């Protein structure tokens, strides 16, 4: 009987030690740019995993965490590279466009995901001073069309959600489309889903003999610098908080002219298969 009890106690001790080791060794990869790291941390806070300072804003970092009961280590990684380190960490919080590029679907694969009311709407931007340019109005009307809204909602099925409240027919009544005929509008975009969405807008503009030249970038800096420099007319790749913070940090003058869609950010499994390590006792 003593031997039997000893075996039970030994097994319990092993299980206890395993649980402690699991809880004390969790690593989560997060984007390292200010607004997306803050967004990732707020996702964890909303799910009761960490607590941030009361005044932690959109640029919150790990230094703003005041309660970290699971002793999580945060690995800050350039946003585009987060999917590449997923297999080496317990979890990763990935921007939706990069998740989709990596073959992950937030709706089906994410263990945690923002709700549809996320304030991080992806926006069409131009350099300050071009807000009323006919090219801006024509591109915005195409992107806020019912055709584009339907494409977003049907194609991405929750991985991207249109936020356009009153979709247009694709055209702006105040734009002289005849005067724009033969014009090319350049726009910088992330490949997924932005370039795909812009391809629908391209079809709409083509009906008016306007060419939309979609230039793809895989980072979160060049789409802004090429617009600031005047090399590219517009961009459509990021959410509004990121754009506003980018301007503040870099002295750029890139402004939003309209919100198009939101991409819920998600937490994905790496070495862990589920949320037990984060939410288990």
């Amino acid at each position: 009987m003593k031997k039997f009890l000893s075996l039970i106690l030994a097994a319990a001790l092993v299980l206890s030690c395993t649980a402690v080791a699991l809880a004390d060794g969790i690593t989560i990869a997060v984007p390292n740019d200010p607004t997306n790291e803050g967004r990732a941390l707020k996702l964890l806070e909303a799910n009761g995993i960490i607590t941030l300072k009361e005044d932690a804003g959109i640029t919150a970092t790990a230094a703003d965490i005041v309660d970290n009961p699971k002793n999580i280590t945060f690995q800050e990684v350039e946003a585009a590279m987060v999917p590449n380190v997923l297999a080496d960490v317990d979890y990763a919080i990935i921007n939706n466009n990069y998740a989709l590029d990596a073959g992950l679907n937030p709706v089906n694969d994410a263990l945690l995901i923002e709700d549809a009311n996320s304030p991080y709407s992806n926006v069409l931007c131009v350099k300050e001073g071009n807000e009323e340019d006919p090219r801006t109005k024509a591109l915005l009307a195409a992107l806020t069309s019912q055709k584009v809204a339907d494409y977003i909602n049907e194609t991405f099925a929750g991985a991207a959600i249109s936020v356009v409240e009153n979709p247009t027919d694709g055209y702006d009544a105040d734009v002289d489309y005849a005067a724009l005929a033969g014009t090319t509008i350049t726009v910088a975009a992330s490949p997924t889903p932005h370039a795909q969405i812009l391809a629908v807008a391209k079809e709409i503009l083509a009906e008016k003999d306007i060419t939309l030249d979609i230039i793809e970038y895989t980072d979160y800096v060049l789409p802004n610098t090429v617009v600031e420099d005047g090399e590219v007319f517009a961009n459509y790749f990021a959410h509004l908080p990121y754009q506003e913070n980018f301007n503040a940090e870099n002295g750029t003058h890139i402004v939003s002219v309209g919100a198009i869609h939101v991409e819920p950010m998600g937490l994905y499994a790496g070495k862990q298969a589920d949320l037990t390590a984060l939410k288990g006792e």
Side-chain angles (χ1 to χ4, degrees):
M1 176 62 75
K2 288 183 179 179
K3 184 176 181 181
F4 180 68
L5 289 174
S6 297
L7 288 172
I8 292 176
L9 289 172
L13 181 61
V14 169
L15 289 173
S16 176
C17 290
T18 300
V20 170
L22 186 63
D24 289 345
I26 300 169
T27 302
I28 300 179
V30 296
N32 67 358
D33 60 274
T35 55
N36 282 310
E37 181 172 358
R39 182 181 181 185
L41 295 177
K42 286 183 178 294
L43 174 62
L44 294 176
E45 183 177 48
N47 285 275
I49 295 167
I50 61 169
T51 302
L52 297 167
K53 295 176 183 176
E54 288 188 8
D55 60 350
I58 61 170
T59 57
T61 69
D64 294 303
I65 298 172
V66 294
D67 189 24
N68 183 5
K70 295 298 183 182
N71 195 27
I72 300 166
T73 297
F74 291 93
Q75 184 173 330
E76 298 170 327
V77 182
E78 199 277 320
M81 299 302 294
V82 177
N84 294 349
V85 303
L86 182 58
D88 301 318
V89 295
D90 293 292
Y91 305 96
I93 300 180
I94 308 175
N95 288 80
N96 196 25
N97 57 315
Y98 294 131
L100 291 171
D101 281 342
L104 298 168
N105 185 304
V107 177
N108 300 324
D109 301 323
L111 300 178
L112 296 175
I113 191 170
E114 291 174 330
D115 62 33
N117 296 318
S118 168
Y120 296 89
S121 295
N122 283 234
V123 289
L124 173 67
C125 292
V126 295
K127 188 171 183 179
E128 187 176 8
N130 287 333
E131 297 94 324
E132 298 300 315
D133 189 296
R135 292 170 294 176
T136 301
K137 292 184 175 182
L139 178 53
L140 180 61
L143 275 175
T144 56
S145 66
Q146 187 65 57
K147 184 175 181 179
V148 167
D150 290 343
Y151 173 82
I152 292 172
N153 293 332
E154 292 169 7
T155 302
F156 300 105
I161 304 164
S162 173
V163 296
V164 177
E165 295 184 357
N166 298 297
T168 71
D169 63 356
Y171 305 106
D172 187 327
D174 294 330
V175 172
D176 183 352
Y177 284 93
L180 284 179
T183 298
T184 295
I185 302 172
T186 53
V187 57
S190 297
T192 307
H194 304 82
Q196 295 166 283
I197 295 168
L198 283 165
V200 182
K202 181 173 184 173
E203 295 174 357
I204 295 170
L205 292 170
E207 294 292 328
K208 299 294 185 180
D209 194 25
I210 299 168
T211 299
L212 185 62
D213 184 10
I214 305 164
I215 306 166
E216 296 185 10
Y217 294 88
T218 57
D219 73 288
Y220 281 174
V221 176
L222 285 174
N224 277 331
T225 58
V226 293
V227 171
E228 178 70 16
D229 295 343
E231 181 181 339
V232 177
F233 182 73
N235 72 39
Y236 172 46
F237 76 105
H239 54 67
L240 183 59
Y242 176 85
Q243 292 289 7
E244 292 176 339
N245 186 71
F246 188 94
N247 283 337
E249 290 195 341
N250 297 279
T252 47
H253 309 83
I254 300 163
V255 296
S256 166
V257 292
I260 311 302
H261 76 277
V262 67
E263 300 173 24
M265 180 179 264
L267 174 117
Y268 297 85
K271 294 179 180 178
Q272 303 299 326
D274 54 34
L275 291 172
T276 301
L278 290 177
K279 292 199 168 185
E281 294 299 329

